[in-house]
Amino acid sequence: MAWDNSREDINVYSQGEVEKWVYSTCNICSNGCGCYIAVKDNKIVGIKGNKKYPVNRGRLGPKGENQWWANNSIDRLTTPLIRNSQGILVQASWEDAYSLLVEKVQEQLKVNGPKSIGFYHTGQAFLEEYYTIAKIMRAGIRTHNVDANTRLCTATAEWSLIQSFGSDGPPACMEDVDQADVIVFIGRNSNETNTVLWERTLQARQRNHTKIIEIDPRLDMSSRMADMSIRPKPGTNVALLNGIIHLLISNGWIDENYISRHTVGFEELRFSAANYTPETVERITGVPAQTVIDCAKLIGTSKKVLTILLQGVYQSMDATPASSLVNSMHLIMGKIGKPGCGPFQHAGQPSAMSNRETGGSGFYPGYRNSDNPLQLKEIADLWNVPVESLPAGPETHVMQMLDMMEQGTIQLFWVMYTNPVVSLPNRSRFIQLLKKVFLVVQDPFLSETAEFADLVLPTAMWGEKEGTMTNLERRVNVLRKAVDPPYQLPSDFEILLEFSRRMGFTDRSGNPLIKYNTPEEAFNEWRVVSSGRPCDMSGMTYEKMEQLGGIQWPCNEKYPNGKERLYTDGVFNTQLDYAESYGRNMLTGRGRTREEFKEIGANGKAILYGFDWAPMTEHPDQEYPFYLNTGRLVYHWHTRTKTGRAPLLQMNAPEGYVEIHPDDAARFEIAPGDTVKVSTRRSEIFVPARVTDTILPGSVFIPFHFGGINEKQAANELTLDTWDQVSKQPHFKNGACKIEKIFPGVQPL
Ligand SMILES: Nc1nc2c(c(=O)[nH]1)N[C@H]1C(S)=C(S)[C@@H](COP(=O)(O)OP(=O)(O)OC[C@H]3O[C@@H](n4cnc5c(=O)[nH]c(N)nc54)[C@H](O)[C@@H]3O)O[C@H]1N2
Ligand SMILES: Nc1nc2c(c(=O)[nH]1)N[C@H]1C(S)=C(S)[C@@H](COP(=O)(O)OP(=O)(O)OC[C@H]3O[C@@H](n4cnc5c(=O)[nH]c(N)nc54)[C@H](O)[C@@H]3O)O[C@H]1N2
Ligand code: SF4
Ligand SMILES: [Mo]
């Protein structure tokens, strides 16, 4: 039986009378729930779930239901702001704002060259915007310094898929949730971070007796409902996964035929996993040996296994190796590319996938490899620009851009649709660096980052513009424009087009570099660019998406209505000239050469890797005895610029806190509600205590949503700014801290 929704009345939220309902997608998380936006008098007045949409069947979660409040917020910026000679941000005309932007960019290009400009954006914009960014930054400005907050979010998903399968693109789909016998969640608190997926999981359990395994050091909301809750110490995913793989192999719960026909590297994997006996795993992870055995048995003896992973892997120690071990686990069992099976590397933000597909950060559009001259030439020809003008080699990731700011190489930093003053690790350092550059911030609100800007460009928001987004299962859907933006604000797309026009970017024939004027025209150009690549969208149109309820790529002549799962035939994208990358050394992160990639001999087979566990970069010690864990809670979206403006959500979670285990609280004489100073080698914050045995003794958990500059509650004051060697994703979930009671609380939380 399909995932359904029999209740008629749920998930309709509107204030008063509704004039029309406009087709759209939720712009909060990567689930990409289908919805309709309620409109009255050119104003958004509510939202309802789309009952026909396959992803959510009418359901919406609390953030989805409340996202439209931000559109109507009275503190939306109405005009651009320019920092004046007294250092104050003052209102300015669009003409002055564009002139200043173009003048500053041109000056940098003339004096310091393309390397002096850094562009840092998002996983929440539209595909058409990312594609335009890729084109303008690579072929217009000619810089490789373009990255997005997807680096903090799903760079590891992207890289583990590339390492194992030759290209990005999660193999599984949401339908697999309905069909699996066992669903393993690793470092994924869906009950809070993807509520609709969680409902779907519970419905599957009710219907099929699906078993749920949760692997998370916290007994988070999802773990509390799981059939098996496994709580490894932070930073030990690699050891646990090796232990499971070892047991799968030693018990013969593997598919030798699949391994020999469709993979390379099995001996390497077998050899390194062999060291991880259940006892060794227990010693490293703290998970009882018998639990490791039970877990491996359930995975190994069930027919259909789906593994869902997110930040507890991607932001933790050895993220890419751990994530690729999940891929390997499925490959050796042959449980991939089949209903109910597969590694399902989730995205977090609503369009992180679109960013990755279009080359918004790191790669070239269509999962193209800029180290491969053939693929670079393809793009140059599609764009009609000289191939020599396109920057090649490894991407500049955002953490590297910070070093470039420190050294004075990057002098103009343009931030679009992200709030890094709250979301980047070790923020005190970042704030110092912002003061060294000309900072442009594109945001509908005066965010914490915008407060440091020299130029602020306010924009239209979701519901006020048109475009597409790809969700976590490769489903692309169109979002129709519901209302005109207030104050005639331009969309991000329009700002980018106007910038390109004013910069006079042209192609080789002297025609404008950007030839389209509307998002739909941009999408039509993108369809051609994506054609023949793994994320082929050549068979999609806006109209067809609306008709079918989104379409999963690839969508082309062979798959006119899209394709649910990838790698159904066991052929992977590791052919030398088709692969998205030659890959990276798992241990050092160094890029493989073409020759090195060729030597692996994958050529259509998936690649298995052996990898040993290593302790975290910063481990608890005498001075800083606690593990520091940071993450999310159900009511807020990231830096709260949207959810903090939705009354119901803000009321439910008005301030930050730290979770402390009762044993530790007793030791430090901390009672619920007491103000606690949490400090690391970077900085300190002051937050009320929540005393709870849902976290392991010796660790603390802090939600990262509360980042006001003056409130001193920002988790990212504390976090470590080291990163994964392969994906360059920062270690937000690792680090050591200490706690100290400052004064008693007024009332228990
Ligand atoms: N409510 C809400 N939902 C959201 C978002 C939001 O801001 N708010 N953001 C969206 C985005 S962009 C993202 S990326 C996703 C993130 O979604 P999730 O990954 O589900 O969220 P997090 O809370 O960051 O982390 C998940 C879990 O990882 C665990 N963890 C920490 N260290 C380890 C470890 O070493 N091993 C293991 N196995 N687990 C560990 C944490 O205890 C935590 O419970 O959520 C999306 N959905
Ligand atoms: N400690 C810690 N830090 C983390 C994480 C963690 O788990 N722990 N998780 C990381 C992850 S996974 C993520 S994804 C990041 C998220 O971090 P951010 O991307 O910084 O968070 P958001 O609040 O989503 O920021 C989006 C910004 O875009 C603005 N905006 C909204 N709509 C529009 C629009 O239409 N156009 C433009 N131009 N702007 C718009 C919003 O007002 C807001 O300022 O945080 C990361 N940081
Ligand atoms: S699950 Fe995600 S996409 Fe769906 S309504 Fe909630 S926030 Fe929006
Ligand atoms: Mo994210």
Side-chain angles (χ1 to χ4, degrees):
M1 196 170 73
W3 146 255
D4 64 3
N5 183 5
S6 47
R7 283 175 57 185
E8 276 302 318
D9 53 341
I10 61 164
N11 295 132
V12 182
Y13 300 88
S14 61
Q15 284 195 316
E17 198 189 321
V18 176
E19 233 165 56
K20 59 175 175 178
W21 292 97
V22 180
Y23 185 90
S24 191
T25 318
C26 174
N27 189 219
I28 301 281
C29 90
S30 56
N31 211 48
C33 295
C35 64
Y36 288 93
I37 302 176
V39 179
K40 170 92 200 304
D41 297 333
N42 199 30
K43 204 176 149 197
I44 302 182
V45 293
I47 188 167
K48 69 174 177 187
N50 178 348
K51 290 172 80 72
K52 294 208 184 100
Y53 204 69
V55 172
N56 57 315
R57 296 283 180 221
R59 285 175 164 79
L60 295 174
K63 293 171 301 304
E65 291 155 5
N66 285 285
Q67 67 193 295
W68 53 277
W69 290 95
N71 289 69
N72 299 328
S73 177
I74 51 164
D75 61 350
R76 292 239 346 226
L77 295 173
T78 58
T79 70
L81 306 172
I82 293 177
R83 197 168 293 282
N84 69 12
S85 50
Q86 283 96 50
I88 298 166
L89 279 174
V90 293
Q91 292 199 322
S93 68
W94 277 101
E95 183 52 42
D96 287 350
Y98 282 127
S99 303
L100 181 64
L101 177 63
V102 168
E103 180 199 318
K104 289 288 176 186
V105 171
Q106 275 171 344
E107 188 184 302
Q108 284 303 332
L109 286 179
K110 208 165 123 203
V111 180
N112 299 310
K115 271 210 163 84
S116 61
I117 294 163
F119 191 85
Y120 179 57
H121 61 125
T122 187
Q124 303 171 41
F126 291 163
L127 182 147
E128 296 75 3
E129 292 164 340
Y130 299 129
Y131 175 67
T132 306
I133 289 167
K135 202 169 179 183
I136 291 179
M137 293 300 146
R138 265 52 182 257
I141 291 188
R142 301 182 178 182
T143 181
H144 224 13
N145 302 346
V146 44
D147 202 12
N149 64 5
T150 45
R151 184 71 56 190
L152 320 179
C153 185
T154 53
T156 300
E158 179 181 29
W159 270 99
S160 77
L161 292 164
I162 291 172
Q163 294 285 89
S164 301
F165 309 130
S167 84
D168 195 356
C173 65
M174 297 299 278
E175 175 74 30
D176 293 325
V177 171
D178 309 335
Q179 304 209 18
D181 300 322
V182 175
I183 307 180
V184 189
F185 289 91
I186 313 185
R188 172 54 148 152
N189 182 14
S190 322
N191 191 339
E192 299 204 63
T193 58
N194 186 333
T195 52
V196 172
L197 162 73
W198 186 249
E199 285 181 67
R200 188 168 181 161
T201 307
L202 293 182
Q203 205 180 74
R205 172 157 78 180
Q206 208 169 24
R207 193 189 305 126
N208 314 328
H209 306 289
T210 313
K211 290 273 180 290
I212 303 172
I213 304 178
E214 280 276 347
I215 303 179
D216 191 313
R218 285 163 73 217
L219 195 61
D220 61 21
M221 291 287 260
S222 315
S223 304
R224 280 172 245 173
M225 296 189 200
D227 298 279
M228 190 184 278
S229 161
I230 298 179
R231 301 177 69 188
K233 286 183 196 156
T236 62
N237 292 323
V238 166
L240 181 64
L241 288 162
N242 268 327
I244 295 171
I245 288 173
H246 163 63
L247 289 168
L248 294 177
I249 297 173
S250 57
N251 286 293
W253 294 321
I254 54 174
D255 183 340
E256 282 174 13
N257 190 24
Y258 193 93
I259 295 172
S260 65
R261 287 178 54 193
H262 300 295
T263 70
V264 295
F266 181 63
E267 278 316 309
E268 183 190 316
L269 176 67
R270 189 216 304 258
F271 182 76
S272 72
N275 297 326
Y276 294 83
T277 60
E279 293 69 31
T280 305
V281 174
E282 174 168 341
R283 194 171 38 76
I284 298 173
T285 64
V287 177
Q290 190 56 46
T291 307
V292 183
I293 295 170
D294 294 344
C295 174
K297 187 171 177 192
L298 190 54
I299 293 174
T301 57
S302 301
K303 206 162 159 230
K304 298 179 193 166
V305 179
L306 184 70
T307 307
I308 290 176
L309 51 161
L310 203 59
Q311 299 313 350
V313 178
Y314 303 159
Q315 295 174 344
S316 191
M317 187 64 195
D318 288 327
T320 310
S323 184
S324 80
L325 281 172
V326 171
N327 298 338
S328 297
M329 180 178 90
H330 278 270
L331 286 162
I332 61 171
M333 296 188 293
K335 290 175 186 162
I336 180 170
K338 297 171 187 155
C341 287
F344 199 176
Q345 291 78 2
H346 273 185
Q349 299 175 83
S351 61
M353 289 279 295
S354 315
N355 179 319
R356 282 148 55 184
E357 290 147 12
T358 54
S361 42
F363 293 91
Y364 270 72
Y367 294 158
R368 283 184 175 86
N369 178 1
S370 63
D371 287 330
N372 185 325
L374 294 170
Q375 293 190 18
L376 201 61
K377 175 83 172 34
E378 248 172 42
I379 276 289
D381 290 348
L382 283 161
W383 286 350
N384 190 26
V385 297
V387 69
E388 314 75 56
S389 70
L390 295 178
E395 78 275 25
T396 320
H397 58 91
V398 64
M399 303 306 289
Q400 202 178 344
M401 282 198 228
L402 304 194
D403 291 342
M404 290 169 78
M405 286 186 202
E406 191 150 54
Q407 290 147 9
T409 314
I410 289 184
Q411 299 201 6
L412 187 149
F413 194 56
W414 184 347
V415 174
M416 179 194 122
Y417 215 147
T418 179
N419 188 6
V421 162
V422 183
S423 56
L424 278 181
N426 189 7
R427 82 147 170 209
S428 305
R429 174 186 181 227
F430 179 58
I431 289 174
Q432 290 315 313
L433 297 178
L434 286 185
K435 294 177 183 160
K436 294 184 68 169
V437 294
F438 185 84
L439 178 65
V440 183
V441 175
Q442 205 164 304
D443 202 294
F445 300 104
L446 192 66
S447 65
E448 286 83 355
T449 310
E451 285 185 41
F452 290 95
D454 298 289
L455 171 62
V456 182
L457 303 171
T459 65
M461 295 177 72
W462 165 87
E464 300 162 0
K465 57 182 185 175
E466 190 165 62
T468 59
M469 301 194 308
T470 315
N471 83 342
L472 47 69
E473 59 161 357
R474 294 172 279 103
R475 184 178 300 276
V476 190
N477 196 24
V478 60
L479 297 87
R480 300 291 187 185
K481 179 174 164 176
V483 296
D484 295 318
Y487 321 109
Q488 295 176 321
L489 292 170
S491 64
D492 293 298
F493 182 79
E494 287 161 347
I495 291 176
L496 291 163
L497 258 56
E498 183 62 24
F499 170 72
S500 183
R501 254 192 305 271
R502 287 179 183 241
M503 289 293 295
F505 293 138
T506 53
D507 65 12
R508 204 160 27 185
S509 317
N511 295 319
L513 181 67
I514 307 287
K515 296 175 184 67
Y516 44 78
N517 293 305
T518 65
E520 191 160 5
E521 286 168 17
F523 188 81
N524 286 335
E525 180 174 313
W526 158 250
R527 287 167 60 193
V528 178
V529 171
S530 74
S531 176
R533 297 297 302 161
C535 51
D536 193 335
M537 297 185 203
S538 56
M540 295 185 194
T541 63
Y542 278 16
E543 218 180 287
K544 196 163 152 189
M545 288 176 214
E546 191 168 333
Q547 254 169 28
L548 298 181
I551 306 172
Q552 287 172 279
W553 62 252
C555 171
N556 46 27
E557 271 178 26
K558 193 167 170 202
Y559 303 106
N561 292 340
K563 192 167 189 279
E564 285 177 317
R565 292 173 194 87
L566 300 182
Y567 312 127
T568 43
D569 54 1
V571 179
F572 297 88
N573 296 332
T574 47
Q575 302 83 356
L576 191 60
D577 286 320
Y578 191 64
E580 180 173 0
S581 163
Y582 300 138
R584 286 180 175 161
N585 181 298
M586 279 288 199
L587 199 58
T588 62
R590 182 181 67 78
R592 287 191 206 115
T593 62
R594 188 177 167 87
E595 282 313 306
E596 285 167 341
F597 184 53
K598 209 162 147 185
E599 266 169 33
I600 293 174
N603 195 24
K605 291 183 174 179
I607 307 173
L608 305 170
Y609 298 85
F611 195 83
D612 270 315
W613 172 79
M616 285 173 7
T617 339
E618 187 182 77
H619 211 262
D621 55 19
Q622 272 199 327
E623 204 185 346
Y624 293 95
F626 286 87
Y627 286 106
L628 171 68
N629 184 0
T630 65
R632 298 164 163 76
L633 56 137
V634 67
Y635 301 109
H636 281 303
W637 177 249
H638 299 158
T639 74
R640 286 184 309 130
T641 64
K642 281 186 182 173
T643 49
R645 288 174 171 85
L648 271 176
L649 300 177
Q650 178 63 13
M651 256 170 8
N652 271 298
E655 66 170 343
Y657 56 85
V658 54
E659 288 182 0
I660 301 171
H661 191 273
D663 295 352
D664 297 321
R667 236 172 356 118
F668 288 79
E669 294 179 355
I670 294 168
D674 287 352
T675 298
V676 175
K677 176 163 114 177
V678 188
S679 26
T680 64
R681 291 184 175 82
R682 273 71 60 195
S683 187
E684 60 200 27
I685 63 168
F686 301 85
V687 274
R690 279 194 185 183
V691 178
T692 165
D693 62 3
T694 56
I695 63 163
L696 290 174
S699 20
V700 302
F701 175 80
I702 303 172
F704 86 100
H705 306 295
F706 304 90
I709 295 287
N710 300 320
E711 281 139 41
K712 288 298 268 177
Q713 295 200 330
N716 280 324
E717 287 284 348
L718 306 177
T719 44
L720 188 65
D721 52 2
T722 56
W723 56 81
D724 180 65
Q725 62 274 24
V726 179
S727 68
K728 322 297 178 196
Q729 182 159 352
H731 289 144
F732 288 111
K733 304 269 189 269
N734 292 171
C737 66
K738 62 180 169 193
I739 58 175
E740 194 183 324
K741 175 169 162 170
I742 295 298
F743 52 81
V746 195
Q747 48 183 234
L749 282 184

